[in-house]
Amino acid sequence: MKKNALLEEYRRSKISPETRKQIDLQVGVANRIYEILEERNMTQKEFAQLMGKTENEVSRWLSGTHNMTCATIAKISCALGEDIIQPTHKKIVISFDIIHNENYTFSTKEELNFKQEKMVINY
């Protein structure tokens, strides 16, 4: 069925930002699981057996429309041995001066070479 571009745009504009974000997250999780399965040449049937679930349930997971709990995502991550999602951490950029001097004598400022360095720390 051909979709009307104007009608689709109108329909999409009626979706709240929260709902749009939820859909993006659900599809992202489903895509990540699918990528891992592809990398391992694992079928949905094999994945369902590994998880102790039906193929229908796994199919719903991979459709991107299923609202998975954190517990389910954790079980999938453990079963596949890879993270499905990774929480982001704040980054702090610290600037500092490193003093370089070949003679290691710091008698005058002119003898010193200053180099600006940046370090990123995740916490």
Side-chain angles (χ1 to χ4, degrees):
M1 181 173 135
K2 189 174 179 180
K3 294 183 180 181
N4 180 315
L6 291 174
L7 186 59
E8 280 297 305
E9 183 61 35
Y10 174 76
R11 185 182 63 80
R12 285 191 187 126
S13 69
K14 295 295 182 184
I15 297 174
S16 72
E18 294 83 12
T19 300
R20 193 169 298 157
K21 185 66 171 177
Q22 179 182 349
I23 292 168
D24 289 346
L25 290 169
Q26 288 172 190
V27 170
V29 167
N31 287 342
R32 177 68 181 128
I33 295 167
Y34 189 76
E35 286 172 3
I36 295 169
L37 296 180
E38 273 192 330
E39 289 170 4
R40 296 175 181 198
N41 295 318
M42 184 182 285
T43 65
Q44 287 186 32
K45 182 178 182 175
E46 292 168 334
F47 179 53
Q49 290 170 346
L50 176 68
M51 293 298 299
K53 301 292 182 183
T54 65
E55 287 181 64
N56 286 338
E57 187 164 3
V58 167
S59 180
R60 281 194 304 273
W61 290 351
L62 297 178
S63 72
T65 59
H66 185 74
N67 190 12
M68 287 189 232
T69 65
C70 289
T72 299
I73 294 170
K75 287 176 187 176
I76 293 169
S77 293
C78 288
L80 295 175
E82 288 195 44
D83 286 336
I84 304 302
I85 59 172
Q86 294 180 351
T88 57
H89 300 281
K90 291 182 180 179
K91 290 184 178 180
I92 300 173
V93 177
I94 300 174
S95 296
F96 57 94
D97 292 326
I98 297 177
I99 301 171
H100 298 278
N101 188 295
E102 294 175 21
N103 300 325
Y104 300 106
T105 54
F106 298 78
S107 57
T108 64
K109 215 174 191 180
E110 292 78 30
E111 294 178 9
L112 302 177
N113 295 317
F114 292 92
K115 183 178 178 185
Q116 186 72 20
E117 297 287 339
K118 289 190 177 183
M119 176 174 43
V120 176
I121 300 173
N122 291 319
Y123 72 95

